[in-house]
Amino acid sequence: MKSVASSLSSRAASAIEHRCDVLIIGSGAAGLSLALKLADHCQVIVLSKSDRNEGSTRYAQGGIAAVFDEQDSVDAHVSDTLNAGAGLCDEAAVRFTAERAKDALNWLIGYGVPFDTETDAQGEQRFHLTREGGHSHRRILHAADATGEALQITLNDVVSVHPNIHFFERYNAIDLIASKENPGSCTGAYVWNRQREQVEVIRARFIALATGGGSKVYQYTSNPDVSSGDGIAMAWRAGCRVANMEFNQFHPTCLYHPQARNFLITEALRGEGAHLCHADGSRFMHKFDERGELAPRDIVARAIDYEMKRMGADCMYLDISHKPADFIVKHFPNIYRRCRALGIDITRQPIPVVPAAHYSCGGVMTDFNARTDLNNVYAIGEVAYTGLHGANRMASNSLLECVVFASAAAEHIIPQLSTSGQEEPIAPWDETQVSNSDEEVIIQHNWHELRLFMWDYVGIVRTNKRLERAMRRIQLLEQEIQEYYAHFKVSNNLLELRNLVTVAELIVRCAMNRKESRGLHFNLDYPDTLDSAEPTILTPDRRRARIAPGSLST
């Protein structure tokens, strides 16, 4: 059977084992930033489930928040983030991030990330700063409306030529390998080579999870197919706590079109004056929040969802056509081209939009060095719970978190590289008791069932009954999936399904333990917000939530 505890077999000599100092699982902004910061000091392997350019970073449009305007301040950035987080942010984590934001951006600028510039009144070039929902100032550096793509390409170009960074593309991470000699540590990971269709071992002194979130657990999402919660599920199985998994951000505006899959309409449109409206052009956001279209994402998403259900409409509309056409094309060329290809001219007509699962505010618990509960395992980016986002992520703080905590992790890892220890044997992957599956339809059926009931029962608006129904179905699916996993060889779909059902359970358990509505979690049975705000923490050994106060800053 496939187990960390499997005994060494006669195939050990032929088993493929790779070695490195640091294994980074994930090739987005967090993983590539960490690789670059470590590579002058050690050998790094970067594992990418698809090709190295695929991932949520690539699809991030808006930008990265940092204080560059002298009218702005770190205190204002902190205050805005705390407000958006609905009282649940760890203030120390917010300040830690905001204070390091400008250095993080300057580091990216030094590598050539092409942030947009403009000419000021004195004729000097400066960065063009835009404003997004929840921000009190213009502080978003961006590369037109494709910031993530520019960041991904730039970092990849630099990483690809570094001799100490080795890419393993089209590899799935299966599980972390627990150390027998040093409890609370890991010796590496089992990985599945998708091209050769075989399991291999990567031995590493340090492991960083940079796998992104798990929004693929929902039927409708802005995320790419690789966002299946792998790092969260792996860390949970290995013994790490997770927190705040009930807070799933639904981006208010994804393009609604039968030929447009997962295409995000950036919040920056609303920052530049776009209006949300009905099909007849009448606006509605003023009925929900005095900030109108610039209200935080949870409020805007619920407003759109409410109006769609109230009117029986398939979508709402986002209209920026009142702005000059050349302004629209210059600032949002990617959205303009994509919509134009589908017959929508955004300079003349509104964009049909719907909410979609977008970002996981919870994740694997870490401290300010990105350390998890395992001694040599780190988590960076969307996979992690740092305390930055609270009950709702403020726009353009996500890519910032990736770079800031990648730097913190590197600073913690580098001094430890000089120490050495004796290697312990790793059991090779044992497939002697499994066979090829002849019923892939089971995986597909379970896959669709999971994503559909998570959307229906654990979506933008929840109830106790919906959560209970979801949990009953999750428990049945877990049993069926585990039985399937035990008897058949692994595949990409099986590994992702196994991880997604774990993530679904964590989301529902957290949601069931929050007896209030706060930020992204809205429960009709508990519509009020409690006076005290505490994170929801799940502990693997008990597999049930406990509400625990305190910060991870120590």
Side-chain angles (χ1 to χ4, degrees), residues 285-306:
M285 275 307 304
H286 62 281
K287 297 186 296 183
F288 297 91
D289 193 281
E290 62 183 10
R291 291 165 289 188
E293 281 79 5
L294 291 179
R297 287 177 174 176
D298 58 322
I299 296 173
V300 179
R302 278 201 302 273
I304 295 172
D305 183 67
Y306 178 85

Side-chain angles (χ1 to χ4, degrees), residues 72-363:
D72 196 3
S73 69
V74 169
D75 285 343
H77 189 178
V78 170
S79 177
D80 292 344
T81 302
L82 292 174
N83 288 336
L88 200 58
C89 297
D90 179 340
E91 185 170 355
V94 175
R95 186 162 295 279
F96 179 89
T97 307
E99 288 178 345
R100 289 158 178 77
K102 190 170 184 179
D103 285 346
L105 269 292
N106 282 328
W107 182 77
L108 293 175
I109 291 164
Y111 276 115
V113 177
F115 293 113
D116 285 5
T117 59
E118 63 181 357
T119 304
D120 63 17
Q122 288 72 42
E124 297 181 359
Q125 286 292 109
R126 64 180 183 186
F127 291 109
H128 179 268
L129 304 174
T130 191
R131 182 182 173 192
E132 296 180 346
H135 290 273
S136 59
H137 293 78
R138 287 180 173 267
R139 65 169 68 98
I140 314 301
L141 276 75
H142 61 100
D145 60 347
T147 306
E149 184 175 20
L151 176 60
Q152 185 77 35
I153 291 172
T154 302
L155 291 180
N156 255 322
D157 286 347
V158 180
V159 166
S160 296
V161 298
H162 200 293
N164 290 346
I165 300 176
H166 313 279
F167 268 102
F168 282 35
E169 293 181 280
R170 302 189 65 78
Y171 273 80
N172 291 62
I174 301 174
D175 269 317
L176 301 176
I177 303 172
S179 171
K180 295 180 180 179
E181 297 179 4
N182 298 294
S185 298
C186 290
T187 57
Y190 291 116
V191 299
W192 187 61
N193 185 327
R194 295 171 65 175
Q195 292 173 304
R196 294 185 178 181
E197 296 190 349
Q198 66 183 28
V199 177
E200 301 170 6
V201 169
I202 299 180
R203 184 190 290 273
R205 297 175 58 196
F206 302 93
I207 302 164
L209 302 172
T211 54
S215 288
K216 196 177 176 181
V217 76
Y218 288 102
Q219 184 177 19
Y220 302 109
T221 175
S222 66
N223 286 194
D225 285 343
V226 295
S227 299
S228 52
D230 302 335
I232 296 171
M234 288 169 58
W236 173 256
R237 288 193 293 266
C240 294
R241 292 170 299 162
V242 300
N244 281 12
M245 291 295 293
E246 70 269 41
F247 297 111
N248 309 102
Q249 189 175 75
F250 290 82
H251 196 287
T253 54
C254 284
L255 180 62
Y256 179 74
H257 193 282
Q259 298 175 29
R261 188 165 172 262
N262 304 346
F263 188 74
L264 183 70
I265 303 297
T266 176
E267 195 164 356
L269 260 83
R270 286 181 281 130
E272 294 296 342
H275 302 150
L276 281 163
C277 58
H278 300 117
D280 63 3
S282 59
R283 297 172 65 179
F284 57 85
M285 275 307 304
H286 62 281
K287 297 186 296 183
F288 297 91
D289 193 281
E290 62 183 10
R291 291 165 289 188
E293 281 79 5
L294 291 179
R297 287 177 174 176
D298 58 322
I299 296 173
V300 179
R302 278 201 302 273
I304 295 172
D305 183 67
Y306 178 85
E307 290 297 299
M308 288 171 58
K309 289 175 179 175
R310 181 179 71 84
M311 302 183 68
D314 292 328
C315 64
M316 289 289 112
Y317 294 86
L318 185 64
D319 191 1
I320 198 171
S321 62
H322 52 280
K323 290 284 188 177
D326 57 350
F327 173 88
I328 296 170
V329 174
K330 176 183 177 182
H331 286 282
F332 307 106
N334 189 41
I335 293 174
Y336 174 78
R337 285 193 298 268
R338 182 66 173 132
C339 289
R340 196 79 170 113
L342 297 170
I344 303 167
D345 184 352
I346 68 173
T347 66
R348 297 173 176 270
Q349 59 194 118
I351 307 166
V353 294
V354 292
H358 181 60
Y359 193 88
S360 305
C361 288

Side-chain angles (χ1 to χ4, degrees), residues 14 32 41-42 46 64-65 150 157 210 214 222 257 272 280 305 316 327 383 389 396 417 421 432 481 484 504 541:
S14 61
L32 295 183
H41 306 274
C42 61
V46 177
I64 310 178
D157 286 347
S222 66
H257 193 282
E272 294 296 342
D280 63 3
D305 183 67
M316 289 289 112
F327 173 88
V383 69
H389 304 305
S396 293
L417 291 169
T432 59
I481 292 165
Y484 193 97
D541 57 350

Side-chain angles (χ1 to χ4, degrees), residues 446 449 471-481:
N446 288 347
E449 181 184 352
M471 183 57 76
R472 285 197 297 270
R473 284 159 174 79
I474 287 169
Q475 289 169 343
L476 290 171
L477 280 179
E478 281 184 320
Q479 184 178 350
E480 191 167 314
I481 292 165

